[in-house]
Amino acid sequence: MGSSAREMTRLDAPSTIQPASAPPPWRAPLDAVAPFLRHGPSARALLTALELGVFELLPPDLATSPDELRRMLSLPPESMALLADLLVGQGALARDAAGRLTPTPALLAALAHRDLLEAKLFLGLAAERDLLAGLPALLGDRPAFMARAETFRLFDYRPAETGADPAAVARWVRLTTALTTAEAPAFLAHADLGGHARLLDVGGNSGEFARALCAATPGLSAEVLDLPGVCRAGEAHLARTAPDAPVRFRPADFRRDPIPEGFDLVMFKSVLHDWPDAEAEALLTSAARALAPGGRLLVFERNGRGLDRGPVTPDTAPHVLFAPWYRGPDRYVRTLERLGFDLRLTTVEIDLPFLLLDAVKPA
Ligand SMILES: C[S@@+](CC[C@H](N)C(=O)[O-])C[C@H]1O[C@@H](n2cnc3c(N)ncnc32)[C@H](O)[C@@H]1O
């Protein structure tokens, strides 16, 4: 089906799946947090309030006086007044005629997905700072931008290779886990994995994506291949959140270690864009060769489009930062076509478009 795959590549934009009039249930967490990720300083005020524990002190069904709140937080009156103004202004708190404060329904909906809210606020604000300080360098001198950008330091893989600084590794694994928790149901709404038995999630991080795929697919078990420090953080994550999940970890470095055989499903979720063309192609080729005949290889990652839809916000700032590294599907399509795979390409709209390349190896 080589030529039809090419055709689908060309038709990629029109094949975009439009959100239906009633949003699918998997959109709910993203839609709930989105209103609080529109403006940098307001997002900073909300993150500060989360860090101070403000919302633990505000019962949802009881109006609290700012004086009472400031005593509990040990804040000076002017600071409390300013923070309350910033939270009321962005729709996180409502103020009644007597000046008392209550969390709004919109905030309560966002707090139901607190990990996602915190991860998006934290990453979005770091990326916004990097863009404000360094957009000219991003455009003109990428190595200099990367050397200075806080966001790239957050995702430094080196401590995960050496075992140094497990706390730093656990910190960024928490961020990717929160994002992937929201993205997995969107993937599952577009890919039926029924009939598969053994999944290898290459660069599968905390195992959260593999866990969600196994939970949705009877009979599926998974192995996550990732750097040793990440596997340790992943084991701790699953031991805490889903101890019975059929997910095991395989510490390895895919630049050196072979991709293991014995899997009928191989996943690359938000991994290949990390690598220059030659490395990404070598990795994809090794995984394709290791896959069982008749097996399926899936690539799911942002395609770099959609940034022209509106002004940059803390929600989209991280993707502006990574945009020069996101690539469309063409290279992956060419590599897998060369290996004789049967391809289907879809665009999945999450917060921005993702490419979903579904490739079946000849039996
Ligand atoms: C951008 S993250 C994506 C994680 C996960 N798939 C997701 O979507 O949330 C890339 C992953 O690749 C892993 N990785 C990076 N270099 C690696 C290497 N040389 N060998 C194995 N895994 C690696 C990272 O540790 C990280 O978990």
Side-chain angles (χ1 to χ4, degrees):
M1 195 178 118
S3 58
S4 63
R6 277 200 191 289
E7 188 166 58
M8 293 185 83
T9 308
R10 255 188 285 115
L11 295 177
D12 190 17
S15 80
T16 293
I17 291 165
Q18 300 296 334
S21 44
W26 57 260
R27 283 218 61 85
L30 294 159
D31 288 346
V33 303
F36 299 104
L37 291 153
R38 289 192 186 128
H39 308 283
S42 298
R44 188 66 189 94
L46 182 57
L47 186 59
T48 304
L50 287 161
E51 289 163 354
L52 288 171
V54 167
F55 306 113
E56 283 81 349
L57 302 173
L58 285 176
D61 43 0
L62 196 73
T64 307
S65 88
D67 230 30
E68 200 181 325
L69 187 58
R70 86 169 180 81
R71 271 197 298 275
M72 292 189 284
L73 293 169
S74 307
L75 280 182
E78 323 75 68
S79 304
M80 185 69 254
L82 177 57
L83 184 59
D85 279 354
L86 297 177
L87 295 172
V88 170
Q90 67 179 288
L93 296 181
R95 186 153 39 203
D96 67 16
R100 289 171 307 187
L101 301 165
T102 324
T104 59
L107 179 73
L108 294 174
L111 287 177
H113 310 285
R114 186 163 175 154
D115 286 355
L116 181 64
L117 178 66
E118 286 185 346
K120 282 196 165 233
L121 286 168
F122 184 78
L123 269 179
L125 288 164
E128 195 173 82
R129 284 193 291 276
D130 287 335
L131 288 176
L132 289 172
L135 185 64
L138 178 63
L139 300 175
D141 184 354
R142 270 196 252 164
F145 178 78
M146 287 177 78
R148 281 201 300 263
E150 189 188 337
T151 313
F152 285 100
R153 277 201 302 279
L154 274 177
F155 291 101
D156 182 359
Y157 296 145
R158 279 167 305 183
E161 292 170 36
T162 59
D165 205 351
V169 175
R171 234 183 346 265
W172 72 258
V173 166
R174 246 196 330 276
L175 297 174
T176 45
T177 300
L179 301 179
T180 230
T181 302
E183 292 159 359
F187 168 81
L188 283 165
H190 294 88
D192 181 359
L193 306 182
H196 290 283
R198 297 271 296 137
L199 162 71
L200 178 69
D201 192 1
V202 183
N205 202 251
S206 65
E208 184 53 38
F209 195 74
R211 183 210 61 75
L213 270 45
C214 291
T217 313
L220 185 65
S221 65
E223 212 162 286
V224 167
L225 185 156
D226 212 303
L227 296 166
V230 174
C231 288
R232 272 196 294 279
E235 276 161 354
H237 165 70
L238 287 187
R240 197 174 57 249
T241 58
D244 298 330
V247 178
R248 300 281 165 272
F249 289 85
R250 179 186 285 258
D253 182 334
F254 54 51
R255 290 165 301 183
R256 285 197 307 263
D257 301 319
I259 302 290
E261 297 185 355
F263 296 88
D264 61 347
L265 199 54
V266 171
M267 183 81 221
F268 285 97
K269 151 83 170 60
S270 306
V271 168
L272 294 170
H273 73 264
D274 269 351
W275 299 93
D277 292 342
E279 277 97 328
E281 183 162 340
L283 182 54
L284 192 59
T285 303
S286 319
R289 295 217 165 104
L291 181 68
R296 199 161 154 205
L297 186 151
L298 291 140
V299 179
F300 188 55
E301 66 181 25
R302 290 175 195 279
N303 65 9
R305 296 193 196 152
L307 293 170
D308 54 359
R309 293 176 183 168
V312 181
T313 65
D315 211 359
T316 55
H319 312 306
V320 174
L321 209 83
F322 289 112
W325 287 271
Y326 293 140
R327 50 169 87 82
D330 293 6
R331 276 184 173 272
Y332 308 146
V333 166
R334 275 201 299 278
T335 303
L336 293 169
E337 267 185 357
R338 226 181 2 253
L339 295 166
F341 279 61
D342 191 11
L343 306 183
R344 195 163 69 86
L345 179 65
T346 319
T347 305
V348 178
E349 283 291 340
I350 305 187
D351 44 4
L352 287 169
F354 276 59
L355 70 89
L356 169 54
L357 185 56
D358 190 337
V360 176
K361 184 167 177 169

